[in-house]
Amino acid sequence: PLYPFINVFANFSFLFLILAFFLLLTLIIYAIYFNIKRIEINYITRIQLYLNLAFFIPLTVISITTLTRSASDYKMEVENEYLRVADATSNNITGYLQSFLLDQSTIEELSNKLSELADFSELDMDIFRTMQNAGKLLLSTQPLIYEKDIFSELIDPEALSNIKEQGNKSIILNETFGKLEYKTAYVSIRSSDSGELIGILSIPFFGSQEAIEQNLTGLVINILSIFTIIFISFIFLSFFVSNYLTFPLKFLTERIRKTSLTGSNEPIQYESQDEIGQLINEYNNMLLKLEESRKALAQSEKEAAWREMAKQVAHEIKNPLTPMKLTLQHLKMRIGGEPEEKARMEKSINSLLHNIDTLSNIATTFSNYAQMPVPEKEEFDIVGLLKQTVNIYVNSEEDVDIQMNIPERAIMVEGDPGWIGRTISNLIINGIQAVEKGKKPVIEIILKQVEPNKVLLSVADNGQGIREDIQDKIFMPNFSTKYSGSGIGLAIAKRAIEHAQGKIWFDTGTGEGTVFYIQLPVMF
């Protein structure tokens, strides 16, 4: 009595899973291809959908294939069992039917044997004629259904044709009676002596369809149970797997959200070199570039502030210097009195005039820094520029020993030759001024190609060196170790070198002198 309910439950469960599959497929297509903005599916949900779909489709195909194949195998197995029973019955009844047809026994003896076999196998059995009145009922274990015309006494024409005319041994046919569907096995009964067809045994299996349905129902229930358990388990598994797979993305998203231009950004440590690792490597590279941009922006802001300050300083200093200088020159011309007193006054005025000129030069330098244009880029010979710049000091400074070790061939670099020439000149002047009084300045200039695409220029002096506490301030625009210096020469030099895609640095030791290095890319 439970089979109808189980059958309905199995059909309902299968229909539910089919509907769930099509709903899942429709949702994915709707979200991906139509790109409806009102429905937003996050990355984790998409991973879970894809994983479940990738699991659902093969499992569904396997389940349907298994069900179809099992149903076919079971149906074949049942039919083979029917044929085996019918064939065994035919062998047992052959002798009795042959004796009856030869008038060696009565119909009662044949009927008793047929009833005995029917009781043993719990099946109904019929024997049809194949000689006189071929196809007509000879004997049945249920004669009332034929006497009351419930069933026809004539054999199914297809069975008669298949066995008698085509010579087949047996056949199974699907037959119906009202709403009742059943299978009937027809087996030939042949003479044991001549092999002549003497009758056809018919055995209807009224419970065959019910047995098949019960078997298939049980199989469907088992498949659906296993399917549902595995599918639910996989849903939970896909949830944890998707969270595990997307954890690096969540972590990276959080780090990107906290990334700022002004704050401190630490790189992410990730050992694997998979796609997530490549993404994190790009993030770390972005942090390096961001740090370089931050430093460049800070430097640019400082330079802009210093240029504005330099402009104001130059303006405020130059305005009173000119009338002060004119007044002092006028006083110098009007000095009278004793020669000694006049000489003493002229000396004081000359000192004031010298300081005014120094202040004027500093103001001019600040004004030039404030108006400093962006360096231009052009290709030039660094060897020729170096010779031209150094010759000025070789001819003008008699008390300076300038030693050069440079190649004879031309080396082409790209940059602003004017700015780089002033940078070299500034380094030579600083080297000469760094030497203490009473000691002859020695400036050593070396130019060599250190790499296939790079050239290195070094300017070394024998001065006092740079103190450790001020080494990090050397390239700052407002810093100078000289009383009359403006403090922007090395800042301008650094900007000119970096604009040429090079770099400048120094190596120093107290009492041992300083070496400035300039590295520039070589043009081919």
Side-chain angles (χ1 to χ4, degrees), residues 100-112:
F100 169 75
L101 295 176
L102 295 176
D103 295 327
Q104 295 176 357
S105 62
T106 62
I107 190 69
E108 288 78 9
E109 293 178 343
L110 178 60
S111 177
N112 291 335

Side-chain angles (χ1 to χ4, degrees), residues 6-7 9-10 67 216-227:
I6 294 175
N7 193 18
F9 172 77
L67 181 62
L216 293 181
T217 301
L219 181 62
V220 168
I221 292 175
N222 292 333
I223 290 178
L224 290 180
S225 300
I226 297 173
F227 185 99

Side-chain angles (χ1 to χ4, degrees), residues 90-348:
S90 173
N91 293 332
N92 289 326
I93 204 68
T94 298
Y96 292 91
L97 179 58
Q98 186 175 357
S99 297
F100 169 75
L101 295 176
L102 295 176
D103 295 327
Q104 295 176 357
S105 62
T106 62
I107 190 69
E108 288 78 9
E109 293 178 343
L110 178 60
S111 177
N112 291 335
K113 183 60 178 179
L114 187 63
S115 298
E116 180 184 347
L117 294 174
D119 293 339
F120 177 77
S121 58
E122 298 181 349
L123 295 171
D124 296 333
M125 297 181 183
D126 303 320
I127 298 177
F128 292 91
R129 300 174 182 272
T130 57
M131 296 181 180
Q132 296 178 353
N133 298 321
K136 189 173 182 179
L137 180 69
L138 173 63
L139 188 63
S140 175
T141 57
Q142 298 290 339
L144 291 177
I145 61 177
Y146 292 101
E147 292 175 0
K148 294 183 179 182
D149 294 329
I150 297 176
F151 285 101
S152 174
E153 293 184 355
L154 298 178
I155 193 174
D156 191 308
E158 184 179 354
L160 183 63
S161 174
N162 190 279
I163 294 177
K164 183 176 181 180
E165 297 178 5
Q166 299 179 20
N168 293 326
K169 182 179 180 181
S170 59
I171 185 175
I172 291 181
L173 298 178
N174 294 319
E175 298 182 350
T176 60
F177 178 73
K179 294 183 179 180
L180 177 63
E181 296 181 359
Y182 60 95
K183 293 181 179 293
T184 302
Y186 294 92
V187 182
S188 63
I189 304 175
R190 297 184 180 274
S191 173
S192 57
D193 299 331
S194 61
E196 181 182 4
L197 181 65
I198 59 177
I200 297 176
L201 176 65
S202 168
I203 302 179
F205 295 89
F206 294 102
S208 59
Q209 189 64 29
E210 182 181 358
I212 293 175
E213 290 178 356
Q214 292 177 0
N215 181 271
L216 293 181
T217 301
L219 181 62
V220 168
I221 292 175
N222 292 333
I223 290 178
L224 290 180
S225 300
I226 297 173
F227 185 99
T228 304
I229 293 173
I230 296 177
F231 186 70
I232 294 176
S233 302
F234 193 81
I235 289 177
F236 286 101
L237 179 63
S238 64
F239 173 77
F240 292 107
V241 169
S242 59
N243 283 320
Y244 173 77
L245 292 176
T246 57
F247 174 76
L249 294 178
K250 292 181 180 178
F251 181 71
L252 182 60
T253 301
E254 186 64 25
R255 292 295 294 270
I256 292 176
R257 185 182 294 111
K258 294 181 180 179
T259 302
S260 63
L261 183 61
T262 57
S264 176
N265 304 310
E266 297 182 359
I268 299 176
Q269 301 296 330
Y270 191 80
E271 300 298 332
S272 178
Q273 294 300 319
D274 54 9
E275 287 78 3
I276 300 296
Q278 295 175 6
L279 182 61
I280 290 179
N281 288 337
E282 292 299 324
Y283 169 78
N284 292 336
N285 293 334
M286 183 198 69
L287 290 185
L288 296 178
K289 294 179 181 178
L290 184 63
E291 181 65 20
E292 294 175 357
S293 300
R294 185 180 67 83
K295 292 180 179 179
L297 179 61
Q299 184 65 25
S300 177
E301 291 177 349
K302 288 181 180 179
E303 290 181 358
W306 277 109
R307 277 197 292 270
E308 183 63 26
M309 187 194 72
K311 181 179 179 181
Q312 295 294 331
V313 170
H315 177 75
E316 296 297 331
I317 291 179
K318 274 194 171 184
N319 281 342
L321 286 182
T322 300
M324 289 172 61
K325 185 175 182 179
L326 292 175
T327 301
L328 289 174
Q329 289 176 345
H330 181 71
L331 288 175
K332 183 178 179 181
M333 295 174 58
R334 306 276 303 186
I335 291 176
E338 297 295 330
E340 293 182 358
E341 183 66 21
K342 183 179 179 179
R344 190 165 48 252
M345 291 293 293
E346 287 181 349
K347 183 177 180 181
S348 299

Side-chain angles (χ1 to χ4, degrees), residues 430 433-434 465-467 470 474 479-487:
N430 289 345
Q433 294 177 350
I466 302 174
R467 301 197 312 269
I470 62 174
I474 290 299
F479 180 77
S480 176
T481 58
K482 295 175 288 185
Y483 173 74
S484 60
S486 62

